Amino acid sequence: MADTKEIAIGDIQARGEEIKSDRMSLNVGPSHPTTHGVLRLKMELDGDTITYVDPVIGYLHRGDEKIAENMTYNQFVPYTDRLDYLAPLANNVAYAIAVEKLADLEVPERCQAIRVICCELARISSHLLGLGVFGMDTGAWTPFMYCFTEREKLYDLFEELTGARFTTSYTRIGGVTRDVPEGWLDRVEAFLDEFMRTVDELDKLLTRNRIFYDRTVDIGIITKEDAIAYGITGPNLRGSGVDWDLRRDKPYCGYEQYDFDIPLGSKGDCYDRFLVRLEEVRQSASIVKQAIKKFPPGLWYAEDAKKIYAPSKDKILTSMEELIQNFMLVTQGPQIPAGEVYFEAENPKGALGFYVVSNGGGVPYRLKIRAPSFCNLSILPKLLPGLMLTDVTSVLGSLDFVMGECDR
Amino acid sequence: MNLLQTLDYLTERDSVGHEAYNCPTDKLLEAMTYLKNELGFSMLVDVTAIDNGENADSRFTSIYHLLNIANGELVRIACDCEGNEEPEVPSVTHLWPAADWHERETYDMFGIKFVGHPDLRRILMWDEYEYYPLRKEFPLAGHEVEYPEPDIVERTDLKVKAAPMAGGPFVASTSGPMSKSEPVAKDQSWREYNDKPE
């Protein structure tokens, strides 16, 4: 086939005619399987080559920041579930830590360990989806099914811990809603052992897969300089070889006690971003195991924070003081001193930041959510032009974004 | 790092965990260029703004968070915008491309004009939208506006309606007598006896 084509083109050239490619404008999304949500791309093509891209976002804009200004700190926790809805537990934790920093509140070690386990399980769950869907985008169906089977088990664990599979709302300012259930940690450990085998299989299915290789290697290269200039964070930044991980460089939640490696890409192409995620899943599993091993005793909330964390139910029902305390917390919200704080946590998608401005009282004056997916997508107008149309799926799959977080 | 000595027009700003400075509008670009080129703040983490209230002296403050990836230093620069009705502040897109979308979002939500931005248009709301949602006078429920597609409106008479807020988020006020501090929705625009938001 290739030969006949070449001869045909040669004929045209021999006749002195110019080869012309069609220019067209193409709209992808907002509802399209490759855009993983409601991203819309307005593209201009020259033949199969992309010449111009204008991403249109905002289809999932719900005004979370406006909503936050109208409710108490704890009332906003369920809204954080709906930012990066593939890792709600990690969002809960990031939000709680931001407000606690403003209140200058230290949570006990046990609470920190629970939060670390939550964050890392959320990372595993989110990356599994990212890897599985990336495989599917490039034509491999099986890894997607493997990943979803594992995520289903994770959801069962989340349900046991928080009462909800998806919208967990697990943290409160000053702690978490409840302690880990009996035997839960053992079940997490059993899951991790089982799950490592699936990761190995996933590795074998994709990493040296010829089709996957051809569709990702040298495609969508983000240089180190570009990654930093565009504010890209998370696995996408590390895929470009920038050694930056908030868990190690600005430890929170006691991450400094755990021993883990930070995988880095060398080139910054789609394949590197895939490899980084694959290794991060393994590292997360190792962190969870370490956390379970030295799981500290004690309370899962800050006991002395009487104006911030609600007392336990049996005390509310039997003691006057706790009853009043609970009433004030429910009606007026946790009392946070005036000031402003910016805190960002290393979430599966990148650095999720909360900028909280408080005038005192139970309601934030302003709350800004710095969404990693928003920043990661902002490089598309630079990244896509010059690539082929088929590469769009690879690039979008490798960036692993969530529109719920991007649009807020 | 002591910025106050080298850049004497900065004033210290209240912050938890890292340094923060106020910067006058006309010196913003100078300070930002210095921070980026001399002090190595290579990553612009975030741009946003605060609405200080309708009666405030300077109503809008734009906020920048910068990160030095080499040593992990984070700094916040706050800059009061010029003009209260049509606030303006210089754009930093030529220093950090990341500012492009962040400034568009801030313009979209607050109506702050970033002078020098190459393509300042709405990003989250649609282009025809006429309000700035994160300004304090904007009601939580929103305003009823025209649906942005004229041909659909012609056939269906569709409108973008204000959100039904009945039940809204309940928050008690912390001041005043007990009888007034019963938890009520902060935004009362949905109440039957109030005028519906327009």
Side-chain angles (χ1 to χ4, degrees):
Chain A
M1 281 301 283
D3 285 341
T4 41
K5 207 175 170 190
E6 264 176 34
I7 291 163
I9 292 171
D11 281 351
I12 298 171
Q13 279 172 333
R15 287 201 301 271
E17 288 171 29
E18 239 182 274
I19 309 168
K20 278 185 186 162
S21 54
D22 274 345
R23 290 177 154 275
M24 69 183 285
S25 50
L26 180 71
N27 177 65
V28 181
S31 193
H32 189 277
T34 58
T35 60
H36 300 243
V38 284
L39 173 69
R40 178 178 161 210
L41 297 173
K42 285 200 274 187
M43 292 193 280
E44 273 168 30
L45 304 175
D46 183 356
D48 240 0
T49 314
I50 300 164
T51 54
Y52 170 81
V53 178
D54 180 20
V56 183
I57 63 168
Y59 288 93
L60 209 57
H61 178 59
R62 294 143 297 177
D64 277 345
E65 292 170 19
K66 186 82 184 173
I67 291 169
E69 290 173 12
N70 285 279
M71 54 176 52
T72 63
Y73 289 100
N74 277 336
Q75 281 175 323
F76 189 67
V77 174
Y79 286 87
T80 61
D81 291 338
R82 288 148 177 88
L83 295 174
D84 174 1
Y85 42 73
L86 300 173
L89 277 168
N91 303 341
N92 296 161
V93 171
Y95 172 68
I97 298 176
V99 183
E100 282 158 14
K101 264 188 109 169
L102 189 54
D104 197 18
L105 185 67
E106 273 284 317
V107 292
E109 275 188 1
R110 187 184 182 91
C111 176
Q112 291 191 346
I114 296 176
R115 284 178 174 186
V116 166
I117 294 173
C118 284
C119 279
E120 295 310 317
L121 287 181
R123 189 181 317 277
I124 291 172
S125 155
S126 169
H127 278 2
L128 276 179
L129 183 113
L131 293 169
V133 173
F134 189 23
M136 198 163 64
D137 282 343
T138 51
W141 174 254
T142 318
F144 175 74
M145 299 313 281
Y146 282 16
C147 288
F148 261 63
T149 314
E150 294 306 316
R151 291 186 80 226
E152 198 57 35
K153 293 175 198 161
L154 264 175
Y155 276 143
D156 287 345
L157 290 171
F158 291 163
E159 186 182 14
E160 208 182 332
L161 177 69
T162 70
R165 286 156 51 84
F166 213 66
T167 49
T168 49
S169 307
Y170 183 51
T171 58
R172 294 290 177 271
I173 314 303
V176 292
T177 48
R178 70 198 80 171
D179 196 11
V180 290
E182 220 184 305
W184 186 75
L185 293 173
D186 301 332
R187 285 189 282 283
V188 171
E189 228 171 355
F191 161 78
L192 290 174
D193 293 334
E194 213 178 301
F195 145 88
M196 288 312 276
R197 282 201 294 276
T198 317
V199 177
D200 291 341
E201 270 177 60
L202 190 67
D203 195 348
K204 280 179 202 152
L205 271 168
L206 283 177
T207 310
R208 293 285 171 231
N209 180 327
R210 187 71 230 179
I211 301 170
F212 184 73
Y213 207 76
D214 284 348
R215 291 206 56 181
T216 55
V217 173
D218 284 339
I219 304 287
I221 297 177
I222 305 177
T223 60
K224 257 186 194 186
E225 293 74 27
D226 274 353
I228 294 172
Y230 277 85
I232 288 177
T233 45
N236 297 332
L237 179 71
R238 292 189 283 277
S240 294
V242 182
D243 195 3
W244 179 255
D245 189 315
L246 289 163
R247 290 174 293 171
R248 180 201 61 196
D249 297 317
K250 294 190 151 213
Y252 52 95
C253 241
Y255 265 114
E256 61 274 13
Q257 324 162 24
Y258 306 106
D259 186 29
F260 58 97
D261 294 334
I262 292 161
L264 294 178
S266 51
K267 218 188 273 175
D269 56 2
C270 296
Y271 188 63
D272 275 353
R273 292 193 277 277
F274 161 79
L275 289 182
V276 166
R277 283 204 183 83
L278 192 65
E279 184 54 33
E280 275 190 11
V281 168
R282 295 199 172 106
Q283 295 300 327
S284 289
S286 141
I287 296 175
V288 175
K289 279 192 173 168
Q290 293 172 45
I292 291 175
K293 205 170 181 186
K294 47 180 162 188
F295 196 66
L299 285 171
W300 59 95
Y301 54 88
E303 203 183 14
D304 47 341
K306 294 236 184 273
K307 288 193 163 180
I308 291 174
Y309 190 87
S312 66
K313 195 75 190 172
D314 55 329
K315 280 187 184 157
I316 296 172
L317 294 174
T318 50
S319 150
M320 195 64 199
E321 194 190 331
E322 263 88 7
L323 178 66
I324 294 170
Q325 190 192 335
N326 186 58
F327 177 79
M328 298 303 272
L329 269 172
V330 171
T331 57
Q332 300 189 349
Q335 299 300 302
I336 307 294
E340 41 189 78
V341 72
Y342 179 78
F343 171 77
E344 48 184 16
E346 188 68 41
N347 262 35
K349 303 283 185 288
L352 175 71
F354 286 95
Y355 172 52
V356 189
V357 181
S358 161
N359 286 352
V363 180
Y365 182 76
R366 167 98 175 93
L367 187 136
K368 156 84 191 187
I369 302 155
R370 186 259 185 213
S373 296
F374 182 84
C375 306
N376 292 352
L377 280 180
S378 72
I379 201 175
L380 282 184
K382 167 142 177 110
L383 187 60
L384 287 181
L387 294 179
M388 307 292 266
L389 182 60
T390 40
D391 298 336
V392 174
T393 28
S394 306
V395 170
L396 291 184
S398 75
L399 285 179
D400 188 25
F401 55 90
V402 168
M403 290 314 281
E405 177 181 69
C406 177
D407 293 346
R408 286 153 285 155
Chain B
M1 180 181 74
N2 198 338
L3 267 178
L4 290 173
Q5 276 166 15
T6 39
L7 306 174
D8 52 3
Y9 45 82
L10 295 183
T11 51
E12 215 154 332
R13 187 182 171 88
D14 170 50
S15 166
V16 178
H18 60 88
E19 288 170 70
Y21 300 97
N22 289 312
C23 178
T25 327
D26 52 332
K27 297 279 188 190
L28 180 72
L29 283 184
E30 191 190 319
M32 291 301 224
T33 314
Y34 182 79
L35 281 163
K36 189 190 171 204
N37 295 341
E38 308 297 324
L39 298 179
F41 285 92
S42 50
M43 191 188 265
L44 177 77
V45 178
D46 190 26
V47 179
T48 184
I50 304 176
D51 180 356
N52 297 313
E54 279 168 88
N55 302 320
D57 254 0
S58 70
R59 191 172 164 188
F60 297 99
T61 310
S62 63
I63 306 278
Y64 305 84
H65 287 100
L66 308 176
L67 177 71
N68 183 342
I69 264 195
N71 60 12
E73 241 175 331
L74 189 72
V75 69
R76 174 185 315 132
I77 302 291
C79 172
D80 287 339
C81 301
E82 271 171 28
N84 283 356
E85 278 316 300
E86 283 173 10
E88 280 188 4
V89 75
S91 164
V92 294
T93 36
H94 60 285
L95 293 171
W96 295 276
D100 184 351
W101 278 29
H102 285 304
E103 288 181 353
R104 275 176 70 188
E105 190 198 327
T106 313
Y107 164 72
D108 191 358
M109 294 290 130
F110 291 92
I112 296 173
K113 204 171 159 220
F114 288 88
V115 182
H117 190 287
D119 183 24
L120 195 64
R121 60 199 157 96
R122 288 186 176 270
I123 189 164
L124 293 176
M125 308 301 280
W126 54 98
D127 290 341
E128 295 83 0
Y129 198 69
E130 49 189 309
Y131 300 99
Y132 299 112
L134 278 179
R135 289 191 174 187
K136 289 288 176 191
E137 81 269 11
F138 186 87
L140 180 60
H143 290 296
E144 187 173 293
V145 291
E146 291 291 321
Y147 193 76
E149 305 287 338
D151 53 328
I152 294 178
V153 175
E154 209 174 285
R155 270 174 284 148
T156 58
D157 214 18
L158 197 63
K159 279 199 158 53
V160 180
K161 295 210 170 105
M165 295 298 294
F170 293 104
V171 178
S173 88
T174 41
S175 56
M178 276 297 272
S179 60
K180 290 268 162 65
S181 71
E182 195 156 299
V184 287
K186 271 186 86 187
D187 185 347
Q188 288 287 305
S189 48
W190 58 272
R191 283 275 169 109
E192 294 78 9
Y193 50 78
N194 277 333
D195 289 336
K196 283 267 164 64
E198 291 181 16

